Amino acid sequence: MQNDEIILGICIKGFVLQNLTRFSSGRAFMMGPLLLLFTVLFSTTTDLAVGAVSPTRINKDARTFAPGEIIWQDEFDYLDRSKWSNEINFNGGGNGEFQIYDDYGENAYVRDGILYMRPTLSLDTVFGGDVEKLYNGNLTLEGCTDENGCTRQANYPNINQPVVSQRLRTKGAFSFRYGHIVVRARMPSGDWTWPAIWMLPEDWKYGSWPASGEIDIVESRGNRNLVNPDGVNIGAEQMGSTLHYGPRWPYNGYWAAHGEKNTATNQGYDRDFHTYEVIWNTEMIQFSVDGTVIKKVEPPTGGFFELGQFPGNEVSNPWVNGTNPKMAPFDENFHFILNLAVGGAYFPNDSTPPPPWKGSSTPFLTFFENRTAWLPTWSGENAAMAVDYIRVYAA
């Protein structure tokens, strides 16, 4: 039962009790109906209040929640550093991406209740316009969050990353298991940008990626005119939601847990705000956009190992002894990540147009030198991923 329903019940009961007292002195004929109403309301609201208990867990807290109760939210009235921390690295997310992740204010900020995350050229933001530093400079990132370190020596043509952006996460501040997530956001418009609102496991109980899972709430591509060989727009007019899972790399059953949806032509996810939802409980995970279900993942009896059709003669099932074997690895706590990447493996080589770095042995340099083609599409806040709010309700 939601809090507003409980409060409504209490208010109605209070009204009835007050009027019972008043009517008893001069209008005794009202007592019967009012007592009946009171009895019905009391029994109904009491039953609801002590009814179903949610399996949702915040961090490692075993608190009890009513289904539908809001357990966490960020309305982005300001950038709350008690909720969000920066990842600082230049490892390219393991996907060959082109950005440095750091904590520059021009790359992530809140204005009028909206969080904006946008990329800029590292030549300007990091290197102060000095091309020599971009091409041959030594760069060390302060506050590095990468266990492999954050020091890089460029040596032309192997230059430093040409872009800087931000990646925010709630790791260590908020994580949860099972819930209903509602996000209202607008994707960016800008060639070769890759926005994502997603989740990773807090503790990696089942091992390194993808064994402990990944939940992609929404990701997209910023190109307005990007099509696959079938002529389908795979740029800003398409969004996707995905679960990644597998016993170990390179086994990944994402193909059985991926949904996507295209807007009408010239009405991409970069043109306006849309609502992205995830319902995650002990039986399934369901993705929706603007109220339309795009993928419902209900693992069979054998759980995600059976769903992914992994060869048991080659790899063992790491989830068989999970807390909830049917849903493992999605039976542990996950935290939120917001980021805007640029370039990388998410852009297929067979698209039209193809990525400008296709086939290049020096992709950073090739991309940077092609900037007259793509940089004009990065138009101010239009090139930003804009997030209105994130709300999480108990499952």
Side-chain angles (χ1 to χ4, degrees):
M1 180 179 183
Q2 296 188 24
N3 289 337
D4 53 354
E5 295 173 325
I6 296 172
I7 292 170
L8 176 62
I10 292 171
C11 292
I12 294 173
K13 287 184 219 174
F15 170 82
V16 173
L17 286 173
Q18 290 173 2
N19 283 280
L20 280 174
T21 302
R22 188 192 327 151
F23 288 138
S24 65
S25 61
R27 297 184 181 178
F29 65 90
M30 292 292 295
M31 288 289 290
L34 282 169
L35 279 173
L36 177 59
L37 175 61
F38 171 79
T39 303
V40 171
L41 286 170
F42 181 81
S43 60
T44 301
T45 53
T46 301
D47 289 345
L48 287 170
V50 298
V53 175
S54 168
T56 299
R57 181 180 71 184
I58 292 180
N59 299 333
K60 297 181 180 179
D61 192 346
R63 290 172 53 197
T64 298
F65 301 98
E69 178 181 353
I70 194 159
I71 62 171
W72 187 89
Q73 66 190 113
D74 198 336
E75 303 295 322
F76 295 107
D77 297 318
Y78 62 100
L79 185 48
D80 190 341
R81 292 298 184 174
S82 71
K83 294 179 177 178
W84 301 97
S85 60
N86 280 85
E87 290 192 53
I88 297 177
N89 62 60
F90 42 40
N91 60 26
N95 300 297
E97 301 155 22
F98 300 156
Q99 75 283 336
I100 298 167
Y101 282 131
D102 210 328
D103 188 14
Y104 292 95
E106 63 191 290
N107 298 120
Y109 55 89
V110 168
R111 185 175 56 76
D112 298 331
I114 303 292
L115 170 68
Y116 293 92
M117 303 185 73
R118 67 187 187 97
T120 55
L121 293 181
S122 61
L123 173 64
D124 302 323
T125 303
V126 180
F127 300 111
D130 190 334
V131 175
E132 179 61 22
K133 290 182 179 178
L134 173 65
Y135 282 181
N136 292 298
N138 181 279
L139 178 63
T140 298
L141 304 180
E142 295 183 6
C144 178
T145 58
D146 188 343
E147 62 183 14
N148 296 315
C150 292
T151 297
R152 176 179 170 83
Q153 175 63 59
N155 185 13
Y156 185 91
N158 297 305
I159 68 171
N160 280 305
Q161 277 86 340
V163 176
V164 61
S165 188
Q166 281 213 25
R167 176 161 153 162
L168 297 171
R169 62 183 179 181
T170 64
K171 182 176 176 61
F174 173 71
S175 64
F176 68 103
R177 178 185 67 186
Y178 307 135
H180 177 191
I181 304 161
V182 183
V183 178
R184 185 172 184 266
R186 189 202 69 202
M187 298 297 104
S189 175
D191 287 358
W192 316 114
T193 58
W194 174 7
I197 300 173
W198 54 303
M199 303 173 72
L200 280 178
E202 186 76 358
D203 298 319
W204 299 89
K205 173 180 175 179
Y206 300 107
S208 59
W209 194 91
S212 291
E214 173 183 323
I215 303 173
D216 296 337
I217 300 169
V218 54
E219 57 186 340
S220 185
R221 302 176 183 91
N223 304 57
R224 285 190 169 177
N225 300 299
L226 188 71
V227 298
N228 66 14
D230 295 324
V232 176
N233 188 300
I234 59 171
E237 293 178 10
Q238 185 180 89
M239 60 75 61
S241 302
T242 313
L243 300 178
H244 291 275
Y245 59 96
R248 60 177 171 82
W249 173 256
Y251 296 96
N252 188 347
Y254 74 92
W255 56 270
H258 172 75
E260 57 192 35
K261 187 176 187 333
N262 277 57
T263 65
T265 302
N266 297 324
Q267 295 183 21
Y269 293 98
D270 62 323
R271 305 297 178 104
D272 204 349
F273 285 81
H274 295 264
T275 302
Y276 308 94
E277 295 184 65
V278 181
I279 296 176
W280 171 27
N281 60 36
T282 59
E283 298 293 326
M284 62 89 179
I285 296 178
Q286 176 179 286
F287 297 104
S288 302
V289 57
D290 296 329
T292 299
V293 176
I294 62 169
K295 186 64 178 181
K296 185 175 183 180
V297 184
E298 294 181 280
T301 305
F304 280 88
F305 194 83
E306 181 179 345
L307 181 68
Q309 300 179 20
F310 300 114
N313 61 331
E314 296 179 15
V315 289
S316 58
N317 184 352
W319 310 307
V320 67
N321 293 317
T323 305
N324 176 3
K326 179 178 179 179
M327 287 299 293
F330 305 104
D331 62 342
E332 293 295 315
N333 279 44
F334 281 66
H335 61 264
F336 286 116
I337 300 173
L338 310 175
N339 72 274
L340 182 55
V342 175
Y346 192 53
F347 293 91
N349 285 328
D350 62 355
S351 66
T352 302
W357 61 90
K358 177 182 177 181
S360 174
S361 60
T362 56
F364 291 177
L365 178 63
T366 302
F367 182 67
F368 179 70
E369 291 185 336
N370 186 255
R371 65 190 181 280
T372 55
W374 51 262
L375 190 56
T377 70
W378 294 12
S379 177
E381 288 181 349
N382 289 331
M385 178 172 72
V387 185
D388 186 6
Y389 59 75
I390 301 175
R391 299 168 184 166
V392 184
Y393 302 86

